Amino acid sequence: MTSSRERIENAMNYQEKTVLLKNGNTCLIRRPEESDAEMLLEYLKVTSGETPYMIREPEEVRTSAEEEVEFIRKNREDPRALMLLAFVDGVFAGSCSFGCISERNRMRHRCTVGISLYREFWGMGIGTALLEALLSAAGAAGYEQAELEAVSTNEAAVGLYKKLGFDVTGTLPRAFKYKDGTYADFLFMVKSLV
C-alpha cells in the first residue's frame, strides 16, 4: 500500500506526456523549468490583454525574470503545488496550476486551480488535457476538493469546468471592475476529488 507521502511525491514528480488534440496536433504537457521564466512573463502580459477574464491588466505584470525563476523553483519544490505548461507542436500555448488554499488543518484538503491559454489556442482541447492532468495530480497529492473562480460571462471556460465535474456553488457580484467602469461577476466552482 502506498503512503500519503509517497502519493504526494509521485504527484509532484509529474512525468511529461504528449496527448493528441482533437485537431490532430500533438500537445506536450510538462512542468516549467527555470529557463521558461521570460517566456512565462511574456505570456502573462499577452494573455492579460487578450481577454477580460484574467485578474490583471497587462501593465500590472511587474515581476522580474529573477523573481519568476524563484517562483518556478519554489513551485517545483513545493509538495502541495504543481504548475503544468502546454506546448502544441513545440509552441507554448498555456499553463495551469494548483496550490493549497491554506496549510491550516481544517483547510488542507482544498486546492485552488487556475488555467489560461493564448487566445489562438482556444477550442483545441488543450484546456481539457491540462486540467485532466492537473486534477489527477491534485487527487494523487491528497487533495479532496478543487476550487476555482470563473468570470460568469466566460461561457467556454464555465462549460469546460462543468464538463470536468465542477459545480457552481455561488456568485460574487461585481468581482471585477474594468477600466470602462463596467463590472463582471465571479462564479465559485468546486469539484470533489474523492
Side-chain angles (χ1 to χ4, degrees), residues 128-162:
T128 299
L130 273 172
L131 283 172
E132 285 177 344
L134 190 80
L135 293 169
S136 176
Y143 287 109
E144 298 174 24
Q145 182 167 294
E147 304 174 15
L148 57 82
E149 297 168 350
V151 175
S152 62
T153 56
N154 190 351
E155 294 174 6
V158 171
L160 169 63
Y161 304 144
K162 286 181 176 180

Side-chain angles (χ1 to χ4, degrees), residues 113 135 146-148 161-162 164-168 189-191:
V113 173
L135 293 169
E147 304 174 15
L148 57 82
Y161 304 144
K162 286 181 176 180
L164 294 175
F166 283 86
D167 294 313
V168 175
M189 303 187 74
V190 175
K191 174 183 172 63

Side-chain angles (χ1 to χ4, degrees), residues 151-188:
V151 175
S152 62
T153 56
N154 190 351
E155 294 174 6
V158 171
L160 169 63
Y161 304 144
K162 286 181 176 180
K163 178 180 88 171
L164 294 175
F166 283 86
D167 294 313
V168 175
T169 60
T171 303
L172 178 61
R174 298 165 45 130
F176 277 177
K177 183 175 182 180
Y178 297 111
K179 290 179 179 180
D180 67 1
T182 61
Y183 297 91
D185 298 345
F186 273 170
L187 299 178
F188 293 110

Side-chain angles (χ1 to χ4, degrees), residues 63-76:
T63 306
S64 70
E66 294 78 19
E67 290 169 325
E68 188 68 10
V69 165
E70 185 61 20
F71 171 81
I72 292 168
R73 183 179 301 125
K74 285 182 178 178
N75 181 269
R76 290 185 64 89

Side-chain angles (χ1 to χ4, degrees), residues 44-125:
L44 282 176
K45 290 175 187 171
V46 172
T47 56
S48 294
E50 285 185 327
T51 171
Y53 308 128
M54 301 286 283
I55 64 169
R56 68 182 62 81
E57 297 287 344
E59 64 272 13
E60 294 177 304
V61 179
R62 298 185 188 104
T63 306
S64 70
E66 294 78 19
E67 290 169 325
E68 188 68 10
V69 165
E70 185 61 20
F71 171 81
I72 292 168
R73 183 179 301 125
K74 285 182 178 178
N75 181 269
R76 290 185 64 89
E77 293 171 357
D78 187 342
R80 305 263 298 151
L82 179 66
M83 182 178 193
L84 297 175
L85 308 182
F87 295 83
V88 177
D89 295 332
V91 179
F92 179 52
S95 72
C96 67
S97 62
F98 70 72
C100 190
I101 287 180
S102 173
E103 288 299 330
R104 302 263 183 217
N105 287 334
R106 294 179 180 180
M107 298 174 69
R108 288 180 52 85
H109 66 290
R110 299 166 52 206
C111 69
T112 183
V113 173
I115 182 170
S116 62
L117 301 172
Y118 281 116
R119 181 181 287 276
E120 68 183 283
F121 293 101
W122 291 4
M124 295 182 176

